Amino acid sequence: MAPFTHTGLGGDSQMPALLRRHDWSSTTLGPAATWPPALRTAVDMMLHSSFPMFIAWGPELVFLYNDANIPLLGERHPQALGARLSDVWPEVWPYLVPMVDRALSGKPVYHEDMELTLRRHGYAERAMFTFSFAPLHGADGETAGLFCTCMETTSRVLAERRAAFELRVSDAIRPLLHPEEVIETASGLLGRELRAARVLYAEMDDALGRFSVPRMWSQDGRAVPTRPEFQFADFGPALAAELRAGNVVRMDDSARDVRTAGFRSVYVAERVGALLAVPLVKRGRLTACLGIHTPHPRHWSDHDARLARDVAERTWSAAEAVRAQAELRVERDRARYIFDAIAEGFALFDRNWTILQMNAEGLRICGLDAHQVIGRNHWEIFPESLDTEGGRMYREVMRTRSAGSAEYCRVFPGGRRVWSEIRAYPTQDGGIASFFRDITDRKLAEDKLMEADRRKDEFLAMLAHELRNPLAPISAAAELLKLGAMDEARVQQSSTIIGRQVRHMTRLVDDLLDVSRVTRGLITLARVAVDARVVVDEAVEQVRPMIDARGQQLSVRLPPHGAVVLGDKARLVQVVANVLGNASKYTPEGRQIDLRAEALGPRLVLSVRDEGIGMDRELTGRVFDLFTQAERSSDRSQGGLGLGLALVKNLVELHGGTVGCTSPGLGKGSTFVITLPLEQETLLPEDLPALEAPPAAGHLKVLVVDDNADAAEMLGMLLASHGHEVVIEHDSLRALDRARSVRPDVCLLDIGLPEMDGKELARRLRAQPETRDAVLVAVTGYGQQQDREEALAAGFQHHLVKPVNFDHLIGVLESLRGASLSASG
């Protein structure tokens, strides 16, 4: 048979003529007349077939094909004829190599719906093919080439994918309840399916020529558009016209599209290289648009456009349906929302006490679920409430049809108590509506306030008692001294009694002031290295007389040498002394008290254990609260204000420590444990060089100014008895004049003077040349840190609190004698 004589399917057949005209001598096949019979036979079969076929023959796999294969080649036809197979589709050759190699090895190959990206119409496009490769053998029986039947299945595969995708979109948006969720979900699915960079939903205002972008899906996760609002005119009139007409806009390359001429800057600014836009036109007006963008040019296929429109229409329909359902739910649930949003419980009973409704807060207060309440009888669920204020009020409202209220406490299993305030109102159908709220916190707060008031009242009564106790012997001693007919021993005894009772009153007042300063954060602690042994020794020394007087046995275990605490020595001694004093006070005579101090790691642990009256568990939890004491008999034989342990707790915590209390029970004693942080390798004050004491000799001229005549006279007498020359004044202005003539060495000034207070008097004394160098000592009943600072700012060098510790005052004056004599000499 002459080569290529086949005319194919009528006049449409092209390939036989092309095969005849082709210069085969330029290929490895050589002239057609020299082709081997196997190749000629295969070519003849191919040309007779209506299926797309091609042959690749020889070492270079020279490419031959039939008419049916021309559409698959596209723009590659007719140049592909006689070319090497690897040069026909270079972009997909790596994917074909495994199949070609297998066929050339003599094995047939079949591959169904293989997806390849081809460039055959001037742009890259996805296409699907079913390949069947078979080896072609030469005269020697060896494989000389391959025969391929190639069917394009793009349309079928894309249709199946489109259907599957639309089903996936439907499944994804079906359970959603908000239009925004529907649009967001569908946009994300569409963007990923089309491999887009962004999918946005635009709300169009056609009348004003603008649109907004409230939502946008982005491949990089950014869900916020660059600008919230745009003008139609920004993107060109041609685009807006097509969208208004309801046409899907396909723009493969915004930089080359004629519709963007003159407006390309906005496309660059918004990174729109290619655009697919699907409009929504309702009642002749453009209302919305779904836009799919990529930053680089790309070809939008018919499949892409159809898929975008289908998804858009499906999404908008679903969004409208969801919006309508949401409106119905809002209408239906509005009453329910208000019902459940009420901040108090609500329940509705019918005339037979069946609970018809109860809101979420009511269920929470009752500690029940809806299925445990709704439809059941109230008295069956809450039988314990029948004979309570709440139950009686409910029955009265049901009987009289008049509103009522009550407070009701319900005890839950486990002992938890919940207080409710209940208000009940009759309903038109014979039932009642009940509003109730949890007032447990309020009731607990009220109980705490009542307890605090009770303890405060007890404390005030106790304070009055404690202050009257020392006043009685002071008053009696003063009466005896007034009689005059007393021997020296009686006078000494009366003086001793007065001094002891004054010291007791001073301690009471000091405790009150200390607690006030500590609880208000006004106390200032010294921060020096303190030997823990010294603290324990001095605390024991203070409390020893009380312990000895009660015949108690005190055992002391001192801390190790070198145990150092950073803090205020006086306050630390006060802490230990208070705990020891407390133990002695509540321990019967002759019993044992143990004090142990030991270093445990980085902490100093001090424990005081007594064999006293003990306490119950409830009291151990609040023994460090203000005004707390164990129960007492009415004679107040133990004394005290209940402030000592509160002061201990605050002072210990200011030093960075802790304090606790335990007791096995009443009559079994108590143990108090204090822990304080230890310092390491610290130089103790006794290791420092001692300062020389000032010389003591001569006497001083002392001006005493106090409007309390008795206080001034007594202080003057005491100072005179120690060899000082004393001048007394009760008026500020007279004192100022007297000071100019007397020229005192020391001025003891009361702060609370009438007309001119002590601070102003101090300033004026400082301004007078005669008294400029006098030492000014403030004597006042005000002992806060702020009072001390104000006194020093007014010119005072010392600040003493009434009643004045006379030994301290004498010490101050003794330290000034030497300097005073030197100045007068």
Side-chain angles (χ1 to χ4, degrees), residues 197-218:
R198 289 175 292 171
V199 178
L200 59 86
Y201 173 76
E203 296 176 352
M204 320 297 280
D205 189 337
D206 200 8
L208 297 178
R210 65 189 182 193
F211 64 93
S212 60
V213 184
R215 286 166 295 279
M216 181 180 78
W217 173 86
S218 176

Side-chain angles (χ1 to χ4, degrees), residues 582 586 610 612-623 630 645 661-672:
N582 186 78
Y586 298 124
D610 62 56
I613 62 174
M615 62 189 83
D616 57 30
R617 184 183 299 273
E618 187 273 335
L619 184 59
T620 61
R622 59 183 180 87
V623 70
L645 293 179
C661 169
T662 59
S663 175
L666 293 175
K668 298 180 180 179
S670 304
T671 300
F672 288 80

Side-chain angles (χ1 to χ4, degrees), residues 192-258:
R192 284 184 285 271
E193 179 69 16
L194 294 182
R195 303 175 187 176
R198 289 175 292 171
V199 178
L200 59 86
Y201 173 76
E203 296 176 352
M204 320 297 280
D205 189 337
D206 200 8
L208 297 178
R210 65 189 182 193
F211 64 93
S212 60
V213 184
R215 286 166 295 279
M216 181 180 78
W217 173 86
S218 176
Q219 187 182 44
D220 58 12
R222 293 184 299 174
V224 180
T226 55
R227 283 194 289 161
E229 192 168 276
F230 300 85
Q231 297 293 324
F232 284 1
D234 294 343
F235 294 87
L239 179 65
E242 288 197 53
L243 292 175
R244 288 190 179 102
N247 298 327
V248 175
V249 175
R250 285 194 270 183
M251 187 179 294
D252 294 348
D253 187 351
S254 63
R256 298 177 180 274
D257 198 294
V258 295

Side-chain angles (χ1 to χ4, degrees), residues 268-334:
V268 173
E270 296 300 326
R271 297 182 297 114
V272 179
L275 167 67
L276 182 63
V278 182
L280 175 65
V281 178
K282 285 191 175 182
R283 293 180 291 277
R285 297 187 62 181
L286 180 62
T287 59
C289 178
L290 190 67
I292 301 100
H293 299 172
T294 61
H296 307 293
R298 68 165 281 181
H299 171 69
W300 301 106
S301 66
D302 293 340
H303 165 77
D304 297 338
R306 190 178 302 114
L307 186 67
R309 180 177 282 283
D310 289 348
V311 170
E313 291 177 353
R314 189 181 302 272
T315 300
W316 283 319
S317 297
E320 288 297 312
V322 167
R323 188 175 289 109
Q325 292 171 7
E327 290 174 358
L328 288 175
R329 283 196 302 273
V330 167
E331 191 67 29
R332 182 193 66 194
D333 295 342
R334 183 172 288 117

Side-chain angles (χ1 to χ4, degrees), residues 759 762-763 766 774-776 790-798:
K759 289 180 284 188
R763 294 187 188 97
R766 281 277 177 254
V775 175
L776 303 185
E790 290 177 356
L792 296 177
F796 288 98
Q797 287 102 321
H798 299 278

Side-chain angles (χ1 to χ4, degrees), residues 51 105 109 188 220 258 307 324 383 423 447 535 562 577 611 619 624 696 723 768:
F51 291 100
S105 67
V109 178
D220 58 12
V258 295
L307 186 67
R423 305 185 311 282
D447 290 345
V535 171
E611 296 179 350
L619 184 59
F624 296 101
Q768 293 183 160

Side-chain angles (χ1 to χ4, degrees), residues 665-711:
L666 293 175
K668 298 180 180 179
S670 304
T671 300
F672 288 80
V673 178
I674 299 167
T675 68
L676 294 166
L678 284 170
E679 291 293 305
Q680 303 295 329
E681 299 181 1
T682 304
L683 187 63
L684 294 173
E686 54 264 32
D687 299 327
L688 300 174
L691 298 176
E692 292 187 9
H699 66 274
L700 300 172
K701 291 181 183 179
V702 182
L703 173 63
V704 177
V705 184
D706 195 330
D707 61 330
N708 186 323
D710 289 343

